[in-house]
Amino acid sequence: MTGRRSPSLRLAAQLQFLFALFALSATIIHAAQDFYKILGIKRNATPKEIKKAYRSKSLEFHPDKNKEEGAADKFAEIAYAYEVLTDEEKKEVYDRHGEEGLKQHEQRQGQGGGHGGFDDIFSHFGFGGGGFGGGRGRQREQSTPNVDVPLRLTLKQLYLGEIIEVQYVRQTLCVNWQDCMKNQQECQGPGVKVKMQQIAPGFVQQVQQRDERCIAQGKMWRNNCRECPNGQTQAEKIELTIDVQKGMYAGEPITFEGVADEKPGMNAGDLNFVIVQEKDEHYHRDGDHLYVTMEIPLVDALTGFSHEFTHLDDHKFTVNVEGVTECDHVMRVSGKGMPRRRGSGFGDLYITFDVDFPDSLTDEQREGIRNILGGGGRDEL
């Protein structure tokens, strides 16, 4: 007899090895359901903390140093967890939709999963790809409501621009929220449950209901879940830096994308700080221009004058007026308005002069004015 195996024995050995690989991949993927637990970090860990935890864990379970059974598998889990949590796009998908959503995301990109995918494994044995059923149609992702917060600013702050540090408290997903999900075919999306109801013999009606326990298609929240004793979300305080640019308008939003409350199965909405301009004691704004009203005595209106103004940034400038100034006359001072929001330079300042007439005159004053102005008397009719 020769030492060659029969074709049937070779095929059996090949299949046995194939299913061993399948079991190993399934084990790794199942164990990697909570990447934060694998690295021993909190959900809001910084990139620096993630890197530090990875170094520590990878050294502990490196196959060259750790000869214990299962160390190599653990090392692979740690490496994959680090890969996901340091990739902004993958981390965002994982945080919002869990591992199942991450796998679908990677399949759409042609990667077939973080460990190379089952399609790659089967292709080495001539079975081809796509052996585990077709992917489901891509659903339009929902978002939690956007949040608008009024940001009260003075005209001076809008003129100069300012950096403002604020704290904001939002609701973030429970760290172990994925462990609190169960399969439920009636769930068609966040808060949406669809049931088939028989309305008559042979007639079935599809009824859509509101059910907050539904958190994604085919997924429902398990009540009283020990992994999340306080519910789906928990409060988190975050630090935000608001950059108020020079010349911003009232009603203009400063947006932080994806910073509103989180909810399972949904993208986080946006946080908008909406500018509310406080009333200024001296200046009024319209677009890029400033307006101010100045009261002048009659003598200045008749003879001319100079006046020193203090601007919003406390720099001083002088306006010279020659000749007679009519009541409610408007003077334009170029370049003394607000910084232009779109483009360079500044808007203009418009000064409205309000002439202050005396309440009464003495006979001597009236006579003197007539003499000065050339009106010595009235002609008789």
Side-chain angles (χ1 to χ4, degrees), residues 13-31 73 103 107 112 115-125 127-128 130-133:
Q14 199 174 54
L15 287 173
Q16 185 177 8
F17 178 65
L18 173 64
F19 285 110
L21 281 177
F22 174 82
L24 175 60
S25 299
T27 301
I28 292 175
I29 292 176
H30 177 74
D73 293 343
K103 287 192 290 184
Q107 287 169 0
H115 295 279
F118 298 130
D119 288 351
D120 292 339
I121 297 174
F122 277 82
S123 64
H124 289 294
F125 294 91
F127 287 92
F132 289 92

Side-chain angles (χ1 to χ4, degrees), residues 26-59:
T27 301
I28 292 175
I29 292 176
H30 177 74
Q33 285 184 348
D34 193 331
F35 298 141
Y36 295 96
K37 275 187 175 180
I38 290 173
L39 295 180
I41 56 177
K42 296 181 179 179
R43 188 180 184 84
N44 58 353
T46 64
K48 186 176 181 180
E49 291 171 337
I50 294 173
K51 189 173 184 179
K52 182 179 179 181
Y54 167 70
R55 286 179 176 176
S56 175
K57 292 286 186 181
S58 60
L59 287 174

Side-chain angles (χ1 to χ4, degrees), residues 213-264:
R213 295 175 301 168
C214 290
I215 57 178
Q217 184 170 0
K219 298 293 182 181
M220 177 176 280
W221 185 264
R222 290 193 292 110
N223 292 330
N224 302 319
C225 178
R226 289 184 300 176
E227 298 296 331
C228 295
N230 297 321
Q232 300 177 4
T233 59
Q234 57 194 18
E236 177 191 42
K237 183 184 292 185
I238 57 175
E239 305 283 343
L240 298 173
T241 300
I242 302 175
D243 183 9
V244 180
Q245 299 180 16
K246 295 180 180 180
M248 294 190 80
Y249 301 127
E252 188 172 353
I254 301 174
T255 300
F256 292 85
E257 296 182 355
V259 179
D261 292 341
E262 296 181 346
K263 193 172 182 180

Side-chain angles (χ1 to χ4, degrees), residues 68-111:
E68 294 182 5
E69 186 178 353
D73 293 343
K74 186 68 176 178
F75 181 79
E77 293 176 5
I78 293 168
Y80 184 46
Y82 178 72
E83 174 192 336
V84 171
L85 297 183
T86 52
D87 185 300
E88 290 186 6
E89 184 178 3
K90 290 182 179 180
K91 182 177 183 297
E92 183 178 2
V93 173
Y94 174 75
D95 286 344
R96 291 176 176 172
H97 306 292
E99 189 185 16
E100 182 65 28
L102 178 63
K103 287 192 290 184
Q104 293 179 13
H105 171 75
E106 290 177 330
Q107 287 169 0
R108 286 196 295 267
Q109 292 186 331
Q111 298 175 355

Side-chain angles (χ1 to χ4, degrees), residues 246-352:
K246 295 180 180 180
M248 294 190 80
Y249 301 127
E252 188 172 353
I254 301 174
T255 300
F256 292 85
E257 296 182 355
V259 179
D261 292 341
E262 296 181 346
K263 193 172 182 180
M266 303 178 72
N267 293 330
D270 298 337
L271 173 62
N272 302 309
F273 289 93
V274 182
I275 294 176
V276 178
Q277 178 186 303
E278 296 182 344
K279 186 176 181 180
D280 188 77
E281 183 180 359
H282 303 290
Y283 294 98
H284 167 70
R285 180 186 185 181
D286 185 4
D288 296 328
H289 304 308
L290 289 175
Y291 297 81
V292 64
T293 299
M294 178 183 174
E295 188 177 88
I296 58 174
L298 179 59
V299 63
D300 286 350
L302 296 174
T303 61
F305 61 95
S306 295
H307 183 79
E308 185 180 70
F309 287 86
T310 301
H311 213 296
L312 291 167
D313 61 350
D314 296 328
H315 86 269
K316 299 184 184 301
F317 63 99
T318 301
V319 172
N320 298 311
V321 179
E322 298 179 357
V324 177
T325 302
E326 297 180 2
C327 188
D328 295 329
H329 170 70
V330 178
M331 178 181 182
R332 182 174 70 89
V333 183
S334 179
K336 291 299 181 181
M338 295 290 293
R340 294 191 182 278
R341 182 72 178 98
R342 299 173 180 86
S344 59
F346 292 79
D348 300 329
L349 171 66
Y350 292 86
I351 306 172
T352 301

Side-chain angles (χ1 to χ4, degrees), residues 125-158:
F125 294 91
F127 287 92
F132 289 92
R136 285 179 290 184
R138 187 173 184 178
Q139 284 191 319
R140 179 180 169 185
E141 293 183 344
Q142 298 184 40
S143 298
T144 60
N146 295 338
V147 177
D148 293 337
V149 178
L151 179 64
R152 300 188 178 278
L153 299 171
T154 64
L155 194 55
K156 181 175 182 177
Q157 289 175 304
L158 293 172

